[in-house]
Amino acid sequence: MPSRILIHVEHPAGCGPLAEHLAAAGHEVTVAHGGRPDGGLAGVKLVPLPNAPAAPSDGDWEALRWTATHRLAAELRPDLLIVELFPFGRRDLAFELTPLIQIVAARGGHIAVTLPATLAPPRDPALDRDAAAFARDWADLILVEGDPAAPPLEAQVPALADLAGRLRYAGADGVAGTVAALQPLL
C-alpha cells in the first residue's frame, strides 16, 4: 500500500535519489526544503519553505516557516516523516521541527531521522544526550548514511548507543540500504 512521505531537508539535492526511488515505488513523496532546488525530481513534489534571512531573525521568518511547514503537514497527513539531522543537528530549526515531529507522530505517522556518517565537531555531550532522549521519545528510526564496518557514528556521538534498537546503517548500498531500513515504516 502506498504511503504518503514527507521529507524535510534544507537542500533537496541530497535526498533526490531516495525521494525518486520511493516515488517510483508508488509512494506519494513530498520534499519540503529551505534551499534552492537544482531542478525537479521525477515523481516528487518539491515545496520550498521560506529561506532564512541574511540578517538575524526577528521572529517573522520563524513564524512564516512554522506556518508553511505545519500547513503542509496538515494537508499531506504523512504516514512517514523523514527529517535530516534533527535533533542531532539543525537545532536552529527546533521551533519548526519539534512540533512537526510531535504532530505527525500523534496522528500515527512514523518518524525517521537521517544522519551522515560523521557529524560536525565540536560535539557537546550534554546536547547529544538531550538529542538522544528526544529521538528515543519520538523517532522510530535513526538512519546513518554510512557503512557500519567504518568507524561507527557512536564513537563520535556516544549518546547514540542509547538508541541501539532504532539505529540502522544504510551501508555501502546507499539508496537500497536506506529503502531497506525504511521498509518497516512504509
Side-chain angles (χ1 to χ4, degrees):
M1 178 175 197
S3 294
R4 292 178 310 273
I5 301 169
L6 175 58
I7 302 174
H8 186 289
V9 296
E10 279 308 293
H11 301 286
C15 76
L18 172 63
E20 289 181 324
H21 184 91
L22 292 168
H27 301 289
E28 180 184 319
V29 181
T30 301
V31 175
H33 63 91
R36 294 179 186 196
D38 296 329
L41 298 175
V44 176
K45 180 180 178 183
L46 292 174
V47 178
L49 298 170
N51 288 315
S57 174
D58 63 358
D60 288 344
W61 168 76
E62 290 178 357
L64 288 171
R65 178 102 173 195
W66 188 94
T67 300
T69 299
H70 295 281
R71 183 175 295 139
L72 180 62
E75 174 188 310
L76 295 176
R77 301 184 65 83
D79 301 306
L80 173 61
L81 170 64
I82 301 172
V83 295
E84 174 186 59
L85 290 171
F86 187 79
F88 294 94
R90 303 235 190 273
R91 290 183 181 105
D92 57 330
L93 296 178
F95 71 91
E96 170 185 5
L97 293 173
T98 298
L100 175 63
I101 288 167
Q102 292 169 338
I103 288 167
V104 170
R107 291 182 181 152
H110 294 288
I111 310 298
V113 175
T114 61
L115 298 175
T118 60
L119 290 170
R123 303 298 308 167
D124 180 333
L127 289 176
D128 285 340
R129 283 191 299 275
D130 290 346
F134 181 87
R136 188 173 36 260
D137 290 344
W138 295 102
D140 298 293
L141 175 67
I142 310 297
L143 183 61
V144 179
E145 299 166 348
D147 192 336
L153 189 57
E154 298 95 292
Q156 183 186 4
V157 185
L160 285 172
D162 294 339
L163 301 169
R166 297 181 187 153
L167 190 64
R168 302 279 184 276
Y169 282 81
D173 294 336
V175 171
T178 300
V179 170
L182 289 170
Q183 201 59 46
L185 305 180
L186 299 173

